[in-house]
Amino acid sequence: MLRLLPLLLILAFTVYALIDCLARDEEEIRALPKVIWVLIILLFTPLGPIAWFLAGRAPRASAQTAPGGAPDDVVGGYSLGAPGSSAGRSGRPLAPDDDPEFLRRLDEQQRKQRRDETEER
């Protein structure tokens, strides 16, 4: 059983690299197209997955926060990250409770609803 451990680790590493490659958008992949990386990962195990992690994938954009803990720049619910950083470049929207514009509109709607209820009485 102990002799199978290295083989299982290589197989798990290859499967992880393959899933990671397939889950990324084309903009997040460096050097070669996604299809070529999939072939390299599958055909050149274990060197293919190692090459993928070293040269093929760009690091995922992490949320950049200002010293106060809020995103540096938010426009229309989309985080732009710090100037010069790659955060938010994928154009993913913030969660509604993190979007100041959404919260402002929600507050306005609630105030209007309260005003309307007060006027009806």
Side-chain angles (χ1 to χ4, degrees):
M1 179 66 184
L2 195 54
R3 285 182 257 165
L4 292 177
L5 185 61
L7 185 61
L8 290 175
L9 289 175
I10 291 171
L11 179 64
F13 185 57
T14 302
V15 169
Y16 179 73
L18 183 62
I19 291 171
D20 185 55
C21 179
L22 292 173
R24 293 194 180 253
D25 293 332
E26 287 290 335
E27 303 89 43
E28 295 177 308
I29 298 176
R30 296 185 292 186
L32 299 170
K34 184 188 285 191
V35 175
I36 302 298
W37 276 116
V38 168
L39 291 174
I40 289 172
I41 290 169
L42 292 174
L43 296 176
F44 299 105
T45 301
L47 298 177
I50 292 171
W52 163 251
F53 286 111
L54 293 177
R57 74 178 200 161
R60 287 212 189 258
S62 61
Q64 297 290 322
T65 56
D72 290 331
D73 197 3
V74 177
V75 175
Y78 291 83
S79 173
L80 300 178
S85 76
S86 62
R89 304 227 190 251
S90 62
R92 294 185 180 146
L94 297 172
D97 58 344
D98 290 337
D99 182 2
E101 182 65 25
F102 173 80
L103 294 174
R104 184 187 59 75
R105 284 188 310 233
L106 185 63
D107 188 44
E108 288 175 3
Q109 288 174 354
Q110 289 174 345
R111 287 181 188 177
K112 182 180 179 197
Q113 187 177 18
R114 278 190 234 126
R115 255 186 276 130
D116 292 344
E117 289 174 357
T118 306
E119 290 175 2
E120 288 178 2
R121 293 182 189 170

